[in-house]
């Protein structure tokens, strides 16, 4: 019996209970799917952008079959072992299996380990494991945002799940010349071991991944963007400075801060109203006791050239004016058993079901009436402390235990709520600030921030790796709480130094946003509505002492001068999926040293940034990539690339270098 068959442009393999498909999915790319169910699952998940039909070269022999699509080729043996090659015949990725089906094969072993393991679990799905042979010297980048300091992810163990400050976006670029998307929106793990690379999904109906082969990291990234989508064009006003704190409690407080920025002639683009500006969660409107005239407030801000962003939570309080209607219509998430409460912060609440299109439409209509029609165009879609997991994606039954987290697909669907709504209103430049994202979230205007992180230099170092790997994972809009979220006292000299160094780094992030839960806390103003929630200490640029203020003022002006350059970077992100901030190897793949550097990055093609990641550091080594002439931004000195220099870094100076005659 022949285990291979060709159907249209797809190579198919069937052995025992397994059905495997390999088909072209974009230039130089394949989509691979496998299942032991009666039918192949129909969902495309992140691969939602329609691609042109490609007729590959398919060859079927007695003992193997091959399929070729441009620069990538896949070969599968009659015993099911799958290997990928580039156009030079070099192995890109090779399945790891150990069995005795082929006693002449190099992998022949009594271990009986499957490469594609679909282990049945209660409920009818599978615990999925996919194993590949590991190349020990390979370097892996991407995968989203994790709170750890490693840019190169080889040797790491990554949870595939969304958490506060963790965003699982399972697309990776390899130094071997391939890109790999784990197209399974399930909670799981990715282990980039020295001997084996293992991908796991704890509950899935089948295997689904996408692989592409290209000559440079930039081309790999662009191929990925073609099949998963790109961000909209970021509006000009969003490229400047965003002022935020936890939390402005009243309309008067927020307006006074905005007026002070204008009195001091400080550049500011956006000011943010954080959570509990509403009467109850799920009301999705201003509490008029503390925000008595939103229309007048928004008008005054616009006259000052400042846009307003509001935080919108997905939680619905049992006491909310919308709770009963949403429950009756099935717009709220459900539990397998037990009482339906997801969180008890400031009231018993449950999330709206963002996977339900009608629920998304309902929430948008409320937001449209109370925010969008007032002129608000930027939404902070806080997932309200996501700490949980999803299993049954078809029936949308979620919860495991009291801390219920909606799984990896939820952040994308949450962003889609507001993306679809604003698109329907003719709004093209859409921004949704999110704590988490998944593969493809970028096309819904997802701007991801790195969550409630600690105020420390160790945390700052983690954000460097997080932001760069997030960009490689296909999410070019990324930001971090300047100064960190927890534990910063504006009057503490140690925190003031941290704030300065973070502010300098934040100037060269895709979005520059000052935020934090500063100490000491401010007591609640009252007992009802938003007044019952605490606020943090002052968090404006003049809150951290005179020296910090003067340095922040200098970098605010620099960010403002860079806006035309940033617009170029945002255009490239919109058109091609190019990360705004990226590792050195992205633009210098032929320079081997650029693959080794983990504490510098490029802000666009022409600006090299070397952050100060340690307290009391006043100089540091900087590697200048080979093949360009680099100019010290501060001194004007020019230097040939391909060498490491010692750069001065007094408290007011972040080492920055430019090329191609770029100046600001």
């Amino acid at each position: 019996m022949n285990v291979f068959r060709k159907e249209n442009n797809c190579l198919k393999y069937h052995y025992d209970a397994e059905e495997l498909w390999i088909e072209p999915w974009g230039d130089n790319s394949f989509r691979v799917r496998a299942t032991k169910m009666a039918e192949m699952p129909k969902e495309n998940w992140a691969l939602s952008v329609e691609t042109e039909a490609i007729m590959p070269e398919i060859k079927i022999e007695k003992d193997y079959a091959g399929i070729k699509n441009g620069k990538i080729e896949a070969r599968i043996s009659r015993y099911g072992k799958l290997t990928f090659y580039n156009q030079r015949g070099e192995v890109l990725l090779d399945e790891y299996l150990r069995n005795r089906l082929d006693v002449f094969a190099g992998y022949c072993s009594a271990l009986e380990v499957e490469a594609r393991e679909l282990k049945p679990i209660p409920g009818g799905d599978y615990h999925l494991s996919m194993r590949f042979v590991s190349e020990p010297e390979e370097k892996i980048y991407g995968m989203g945002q994790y709170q750890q300091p490693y840019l190169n992810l080889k040797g790491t163990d990554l949870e595939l799940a969304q958490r506060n400050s963790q965003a699982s976006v399972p697309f990776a670029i390899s130094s071997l010349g391939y890109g790999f998307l784990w197209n399974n929106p399930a909670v799981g793990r990715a282990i980039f071991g020295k001997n084996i690379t293992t991908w796991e999904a704890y509950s899935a109906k089948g295997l689904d991944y996408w692989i592409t082969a290209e000559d440079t990291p930039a081309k790999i990234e662009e191929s990925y963007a073609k099949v998963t989508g790109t961000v909209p064009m970021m509006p000009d006003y969003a490229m400047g400075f965003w002022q935020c704190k936890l939390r402005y409690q009243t309309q008067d407080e927020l307006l006074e801060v905005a007026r002070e920025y204008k009195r001091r002639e400080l550049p500011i683009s956006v000011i943010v109203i954080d959570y509990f500006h509403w009467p109850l969660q799920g009301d999705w409107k201003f509490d008029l006791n503390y925000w008595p005239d939103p229309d007048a407030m928004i008008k005054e801000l616009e006259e000052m050239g400042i846009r307003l962003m509001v935080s919108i939570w997905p939680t619905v309080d049992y006491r909310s004016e919308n709770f009963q209607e949403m429950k009756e219509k099935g717009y709220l998430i459900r539990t397998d058993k037990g009482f339906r409460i997801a969180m008890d912060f400031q009231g018993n609440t449950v999330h709206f079901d963002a996977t339900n299109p009608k629920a998304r439409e309902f929430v948008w209509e409320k937001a449209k009436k109370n925010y969008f029609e007032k002129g608000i165009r930027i939404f902070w879609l806080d997932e309200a402390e996501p700490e949980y997991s999803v299993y049954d994606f078809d029936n949308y039954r979620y919860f495991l235990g009291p801390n219920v987290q909606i799984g990896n697909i939820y952040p994308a669907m949450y962003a889609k709520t507001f993306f679809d709504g604003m698109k329907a209103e003719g709004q093209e430049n859409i921004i949704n600030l999110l704590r988490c994202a998944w593969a493809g979230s970028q096309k819904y205007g997802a701007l991801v921030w790195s969550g409630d992180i600690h105020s420390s230099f160790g945390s700052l170092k983690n954000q460097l790796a997080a932001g760069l790997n997030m960009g490689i994972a296909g999410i070019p809009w990324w930001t971090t709480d300047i100064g960190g979220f927890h534990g910063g006292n504006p009057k503490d000299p140690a925190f003031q130094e941290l704030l300065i160094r973070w502010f300098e780094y934040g100037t060269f992030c895709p979005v520059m946003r000052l935020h934090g839960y500063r100490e000491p806390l401010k007591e609640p103003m009252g007992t009802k509505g938003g007044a019952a929630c605490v606020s943090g200490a002052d968090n404006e640029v003049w809150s951290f002492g005179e020296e910090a203020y003067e340095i922040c003022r200098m970098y605010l002006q620099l960010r403002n001068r860079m806006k035309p350059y940033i617009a170029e970077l945002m255009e490239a992100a919109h058109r091609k999926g190019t990360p705004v901030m990226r590792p050195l190897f992205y633009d210098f793949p032929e320079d081997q040293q650029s693959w080794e550097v983990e504490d510098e990055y490029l802000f666009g093609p022409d600006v090299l940034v070397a952050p100060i990641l340690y307290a009391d550091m006043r100089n540091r080594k900087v590697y200048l990539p080979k093949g360009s002439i680099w100019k010290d931004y501060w001194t004007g000195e020019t230097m040939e690339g391909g060498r490491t220099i010692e750069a001065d870094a007094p408290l007011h100076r972040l080492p920055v270098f430019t090329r191609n005659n770029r100046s600001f």
Side-chain angles (χ1 to χ4, degrees):
M1 172 185 171
N2 197 334
V3 294
F4 307 114
R5 69 188 191 276
K6 174 184 176 182
E7 291 186 5
N8 298 321
N9 65 344
C10 185
L11 174 61
K12 298 186 177 182
Y13 169 87
H14 190 96
Y15 182 82
D16 197 0
E18 184 192 38
E19 176 81 3
L20 173 76
W21 294 358
I22 310 168
E23 59 188 314
W25 205 277
D27 295 337
N28 311 309
S29 308
F30 289 128
R31 184 182 185 186
V32 179
R33 286 180 280 179
T35 189
K36 290 185 177 179
M37 291 187 164
E39 292 184 351
M40 191 67 71
K42 295 180 173 58
E43 296 87 358
N44 284 334
W45 300 124
L47 299 173
S48 58
V49 178
E50 188 173 338
T51 59
E52 294 183 6
I54 296 174
M55 293 306 298
E57 300 176 32
I58 296 178
K59 179 187 292 186
I60 296 177
E61 303 288 350
K62 178 181 178 183
D63 293 324
Y64 85 98
I67 179 170
K68 186 176 182 181
N69 177 21
K71 297 177 182 177
I72 192 169
E73 180 179 1
R75 298 178 197 166
I76 183 169
S77 76
R78 65 173 285 100
Y79 301 107
K81 185 176 187 297
L82 182 57
T83 306
F84 297 94
Y85 303 85
N86 63 18
Q87 73 270 32
R88 295 179 294 276
E90 300 163 338
V91 173
L92 295 174
L93 206 53
D94 189 24
E95 285 189 337
Y96 178 95
L97 73 159
R98 297 292 184 266
N99 61 36
R100 292 188 283 197
L101 290 178
D102 184 353
V103 296
F104 299 104
Y107 60 83
C108 179
S109 169
L111 289 173
E112 294 297 331
V113 176
E114 294 181 66
R116 305 181 298 273
E117 182 180 20
L118 292 156
K119 181 187 290 186
I121 59 174
D125 288 356
Y126 298 97
H127 181 133
L128 167 64
S129 297
M130 179 70 247
R131 301 179 179 94
F132 295 103
V133 175
S134 173
E135 167 53 55
E137 301 306 315
E138 178 186 27
K139 298 179 185 299
I140 298 287
Y141 304 91
M143 295 299 295
Q145 171 184 280
Y146 290 88
Q147 296 304 319
Q148 51 84 33
Y150 305 111
L151 182 61
N152 175 14
L153 300 173
K154 192 67 172 184
T156 61
D157 179 347
L158 304 178
E159 180 188 36
L160 302 180
Q162 311 299 342
R163 294 182 181 272
N164 185 335
S165 78
Q166 175 178 296
S168 168
V169 188
F171 173 70
I173 285 179
S174 166
S175 60
L176 298 180
Y178 69 86
F180 184 92
L181 168 67
W182 182 246
N183 194 33
N184 297 276
V187 172
R189 296 202 91 77
I191 304 171
F192 299 107
K194 188 174 183 179
N195 58 336
I196 304 174
T197 296
T198 303
W199 297 82
E200 285 187 85
Y202 297 156
S203 180
K205 296 186 182 335
L207 168 72
D208 193 339
Y209 66 83
W210 178 87
I211 182 171
T212 190
E214 267 295 359
D215 298 323
T216 67
K219 290 181 179 179
I220 292 173
E221 194 75 40
E222 291 165 16
S223 293
Y224 173 68
K226 287 178 181 177
V227 296
T228 60
T230 63
V231 288
M233 180 59 195
M234 181 170 280
D236 177 73
Y237 62 79
M239 300 179 202
F241 172 67
W242 298 28
Q243 171 61 48
C244 187
K245 64 165 285 188
L246 189 111
R247 49 178 196 92
Y248 293 118
Q249 300 181 85
T250 68
Q251 179 174 318
D252 287 343
E253 181 187 11
L254 180 118
L255 284 174
E256 184 52 39
V257 168
R259 292 164 186 156
E260 185 64 19
Y261 269 96
K262 288 302 173 182
R263 278 195 290 267
R264 294 174 181 255
E265 298 182 341
L266 297 172
I268 177 174
S269 293
V270 176
I271 196 165
V272 185
I273 298 176
D274 203 343
Y275 66 158
F276 281 91
H277 63 272
W278 47 72
L280 290 167
Q281 294 170 77
D283 285 348
W284 296 301
K285 65 182 182 182
F286 287 101
D287 185 338
L288 297 181
N289 291 312
Y290 305 100
W291 308 86
D293 196 345
D295 292 329
M297 173 182 63
I298 294 168
K299 184 175 185 294
E300 181 177 347
L301 290 172
E302 289 182 344
E303 288 172 351
M304 290 188 281
I306 302 173
R307 294 296 186 111
L308 180 65
M309 180 174 77
V310 293
S311 173
I312 298 183
W313 281 17
T315 43
V316 185
D317 194 302
Y318 271 62
R319 300 166 294 171
S320 167
E321 64 185 17
N322 295 312
F323 177 83
Q324 194 59 37
E325 180 182 0
M326 295 184 76
K327 181 181 179 182
E328 290 174 0
K329 291 181 175 178
Y331 294 168
L332 304 174
I333 57 175
R334 300 171 290 283
T335 55
D336 284 338
K337 58 184 178 181
F339 200 64
R340 193 191 305 195
I341 295 178
M343 297 176 64
D344 62 357
F345 180 61
Q346 300 289 324
N348 293 331
T349 63
V350 63
H351 296 71
F352 87 90
D353 183 0
T355 62
N356 183 333
K358 291 183 178 179
R360 294 200 299 268
E361 183 179 353
F362 180 92
V363 172
W364 167 250
E365 286 301 318
K366 297 294 180 180
K368 174 185 172 184
K369 176 183 177 182
N370 296 312
Y371 300 118
F372 184 87
E373 291 180 354
K374 296 181 184 299
I376 296 170
R377 295 293 182 271
I378 316 176
F379 294 100
W380 180 354
L381 308 182
D382 196 324
E383 287 83 29
E385 305 291 340
E387 300 281 347
Y388 36 94
S389 308
V390 86
Y391 278 82
D392 187 343
F393 293 106
D394 283 345
N395 297 313
Y396 307 129
R397 301 291 194 272
Y398 303 111
F399 289 51
L400 297 175
N403 251 354
V404 186
Q405 177 183 343
I406 300 161
N408 292 336
I409 200 67
Y410 185 85
M413 294 298 99
Y414 188 24
K416 185 172 170 58
T417 301
F418 292 81
F419 180 87
D420 286 348
M422 284 190 275
K423 288 286 281 188
E425 302 299 326
Q427 182 73 15
E428 294 300 321
N429 300 345
I430 296 166
I431 302 177
N432 290 314
L433 182 64
L434 295 158
R435 196 196 302 267
C436 294
W438 196 67
S441 292
Q442 67 274 4
K443 62 180 169 288
Y444 302 129
L447 161 60
V448 181
W449 102 97
S450 58
D452 296 345
I453 50 177
H454 190 232
S455 295
S456 67
F457 274 99
S459 180
L460 172 57
K461 185 177 181 181
N462 289 346
Q463 305 325 301
L464 178 60
L468 293 174
N469 275 322
M470 199 64 161
I472 292 295
I475 310 290
W477 291 359
W478 180 87
T479 186
T480 175
D481 290 354
I482 291 177
F485 183 75
H486 288 298
N489 187 324
K491 299 187 183 306
D492 177 6
F495 176 70
Q496 290 171 358
E497 179 183 4
L498 173 68
L499 186 282
I500 289 168
R501 292 308 196 185
W502 212 312
F503 202 91
E504 292 170 349
Y505 162 68
T507 304
F508 297 91
C509 284
V511 165
M512 183 185 187
R513 175 172 166 266
L514 178 60
H515 184 54
Y517 197 178
R518 303 291 173 241
E519 303 286 343
L521 307 182
K522 293 183 179 180
E523 293 300 316
M525 295 171 51
T527 59
K528 295 182 179 179
C533 194
V534 299
S535 177
D538 293 344
N539 192 52
E540 292 71 45
V541 294
W542 53 82
S543 305
F544 312 104
E546 191 60 31
E547 182 180 27
Y549 170 66
E550 290 299 329
I551 294 172
C552 289
R553 186 164 66 92
M554 180 175 70
Y555 281 89
L556 284 178
Q557 292 167 345
L558 173 56
R559 177 77 181 198
N560 203 48
R561 293 195 300 271
M562 284 198 299
K563 285 176 69 175
Y565 175 65
I566 296 171
E568 295 176 22
L569 309 186
M570 293 301 177
E571 175 68 22
H574 170 56
R575 289 191 297 106
K576 302 188 296 182
T578 307
V580 176
M581 56 189 297
R582 60 262 201 162
L584 302 188
F585 66 77
Y586 193 89
D587 293 80
F588 297 91
E590 300 302 321
D591 182 354
Q592 291 306 307
Q593 184 60 29
S594 290
W595 293 83
E596 304 297 330
V597 176
E598 298 212 352
D599 61 352
E600 305 171 25
Y601 66 97
L602 291 165
F603 188 62
D606 295 336
V607 179
L608 185 151
V609 183
I612 302 302
L613 304 174
Y614 300 93
D616 302 319
M617 179 179 278
R618 297 298 183 264
N619 58 71
R620 61 156 292 173
K621 294 185 184 303
V622 178
Y623 177 72
L624 303 175
K626 188 185 303 182
S628 281
I629 301 295
W630 296 93
K631 184 171 80 170
D632 187 315
Y633 174 77
W634 305 105
T635 68
E637 180 185 1
T638 59
M639 289 154 279
E640 182 75 34
R643 60 179 176 141
T644 299
I645 65 166
E646 193 80 21
D648 289 334
L651 191 57
H652 67 279
R653 183 183 296 178
L654 178 73
V656 175
F657 301 83
T658 63
R659 65 175 183 143
N660 295 332
N661 296 316
R662 186 69 70 171
S663 61
F664 307 106

